[in-house]
Amino acid sequence: MATEFNHAGIETPDEHNRETYTISDLSDEFGVTPRALRFYEDEGLIQPERHGMTRVYHKRDRARLAWILRGKRVGFSLADIREMIDLYDLGDGRTKQRAVTREKCEERIAALSEQRTDIDSAIEELKGFLEVLDKVEAEDKA
Amino acid sequence: MATEFNHAGIETPDEHNRETYTISDLSDEFGVTPRALRFYEDEGLIQPERHGMTRVYHKRDRARLAWILRGKRVGFSLADIREMIDLYDLGDGRTKQRAVTREKCEERIAALSEQRTDIDSAIEELKGFLEVLDKVEAEDKA
DNA sequence: AGTTCCGTTCACGTTAACGTCAAGCTATGA
DNA sequence: TCATAGCTTGACGTTAACGTGAACGGAACT
């Protein structure tokens, strides 16, 4: 009889190609701590299933986590991210709700575009600095 | 007789075209609080002159502030920024020091490039979501 | 002389995003 | 059967980047 649950070790092959993940599966894969995942759950960003006490993550949760982490990388707060996720989940809102959603999205896009140009100029500036270094180096050799 | 110091109000014209700034000149211009500027000073990011007790900022300080704020916008911590400023100030370091500097710069550039692609895909994703909204809207009208 | 502004220095408070124990349950391998 | 590994829930600690008074000084209108 197959054990109903098998946390670590070798994959149970009869579980048709990994549909679920443990907390450390995901935290290992994404390079974050389990604590972080529990925190995101407390904040309402993910809602994994439970088998008894233990969390069981599905692909949907995995995808959300990816979203969250990318959001963080581009400078969003968890509150921002939750807001966006909520908007995303709201596919059936009434017209007015959708207008709000649209506005939020556009705001985000504008902010991100601004960030992009900031990053571009920071990169340029750093490259310029590298060139200065090269020059000094060359002068030194002469 | 010209008053030696004139905080607010109309510009004193005999002070050949604004070479110095008060703390609130700068904080107003850049949209931050004086507290922030003092904090940056405590952290060793800027070192304005003093006339008695009061801080007097020059163009150099203004430029630094601009650097700091852009750094923040692209996600650097104040510690990161101080590190970069220190590197910048070190124009005369010996060869090995310069190698370290170069490496740091390249690391930064790499990180920033990664951030850029993250931002790009976030923007794409948001645009995709907007299209979904458009679709739903269109269906509603039908 | 008095009030108003703008500046100053402590020094404690705050928020976000976890880190870090502590204490306990539970299934699996030795 | 017991230890070990991995899961759980509190709950307090931590860091960064300021916010927020408190209490004061000095110039400048009125």
Side-chain angles (χ1 to χ4, degrees):
Chain A
M1 188 177 116
T3 52
E4 204 223 344
F5 200 65
N6 180 359
H7 359 217
I10 306 100
E11 222 146 66
T12 9
D14 57 273
E15 214 141 6
H16 34 345
N17 196 14
R18 185 47 54 98
E19 285 273 298
T20 73
Y21 314 84
T22 73
I23 192 168
S24 49
D25 283 345
L26 285 188
S27 59
D28 285 355
E29 178 178 355
F30 288 96
V32 300
T33 66
R35 173 69 175 109
L37 295 191
R38 296 195 190 99
F39 183 73
Y40 297 156
E41 186 175 347
D42 286 350
E43 296 293 295
L45 296 173
I46 6 180
Q47 287 103 19
E49 248 185 65
R50 298 284 177 129
H51 278 187
M53 298 250 86
T54 81
R55 290 161 174 86
V56 178
Y57 297 85
H58 295 120
K59 296 213 165 162
R60 166 192 155 83
D61 304 306
R62 210 192 90 114
R64 281 211 169 184
L65 181 54
W67 239 95
I68 293 168
L69 296 180
R70 188 170 65 212
K72 289 201 57 188
R73 281 200 301 272
V74 301
F76 288 131
S77 72
L78 292 185
D80 289 337
I81 293 168
R82 179 177 46 199
E83 203 182 344
M84 300 176 73
I85 285 180
D86 289 351
L87 293 178
Y88 218 99
D89 280 353
L90 174 150
D92 53 339
R94 214 57 221 128
T95 310
K96 194 181 173 182
Q97 302 267 355
R98 255 181 276 132
V100 177
T101 306
R102 184 186 308 276
E103 211 174 317
K104 296 256 182 198
C105 279
E106 274 155 5
E107 274 174 34
R108 295 301 181 190
I109 290 177
L112 283 173
S113 305
E114 219 177 295
Q115 258 196 62
R116 231 191 82 126
T117 67
D118 279 344
I119 287 184
D120 283 346
S121 39
I123 288 180
E124 285 315 303
E125 206 138 352
L126 283 171
K127 283 186 177 169
F129 187 38
L130 274 182
E131 277 176 31
V132 173
L133 284 180
D134 286 342
K135 258 193 187 170
V136 181
E137 202 94 351
E139 277 169 26
D140 249 32
K141 287 212 167 177
Chain B
M1 188 177 113
T3 50
E4 204 224 342
F5 201 67
N6 181 0
H7 355 224
I10 306 101
E11 223 145 67
T12 8
D14 57 274
E15 213 143 4
H16 37 342
N17 196 15
R18 187 44 55 97
E19 287 272 297
T20 73
Y21 314 84
T22 74
I23 193 166
S24 49
D25 283 343
L26 286 188
S27 59
D28 285 355
E29 178 178 356
F30 288 97
V32 299
T33 66
R35 172 71 174 108
L37 295 192
R38 297 196 189 101
F39 183 72
Y40 297 156
E41 186 176 346
D42 286 351
E43 296 292 297
L45 295 174
I46 8 179
Q47 287 100 20
E49 248 184 64
R50 298 282 177 130
H51 278 188
M53 296 251 86
T54 82
R55 292 163 172 85
V56 177
Y57 296 85
H58 294 120
K59 296 211 164 160
R60 166 193 156 83
D61 304 307
R62 209 191 93 115
R64 280 211 170 184
L65 181 55
W67 239 94
I68 293 168
L69 296 179
R70 189 171 65 212
K72 289 201 56 189
R73 281 201 300 273
V74 299
F76 288 130
S77 71
L78 291 186
D80 289 338
I81 294 169
R82 178 176 45 197
E83 203 181 343
M84 300 177 76
I85 286 180
D86 290 350
L87 294 178
Y88 219 99
D89 280 352
L90 174 149
D92 53 338
R94 213 57 220 125
T95 310
K96 195 181 171 181
Q97 301 267 357
R98 254 181 277 130
V100 177
T101 307
R102 184 187 309 276
E103 209 173 320
K104 295 257 182 198
C105 280
E106 275 155 5
E107 274 174 33
R108 294 301 180 190
I109 291 178
L112 283 173
S113 305
E114 217 176 299
Q115 257 197 63
R116 229 190 83 127
T117 66
D118 280 343
I119 288 184
D120 282 346
S121 40
I123 289 180
E124 284 317 302
E125 207 138 351
L126 283 171
K127 283 187 177 168
F129 187 38
L130 274 182
E131 276 175 32
V132 173
L133 283 180
D134 285 342
K135 257 193 186 171
V136 180
E137 203 94 350
E139 276 168 28
D140 249 33
K141 288 212 164 175

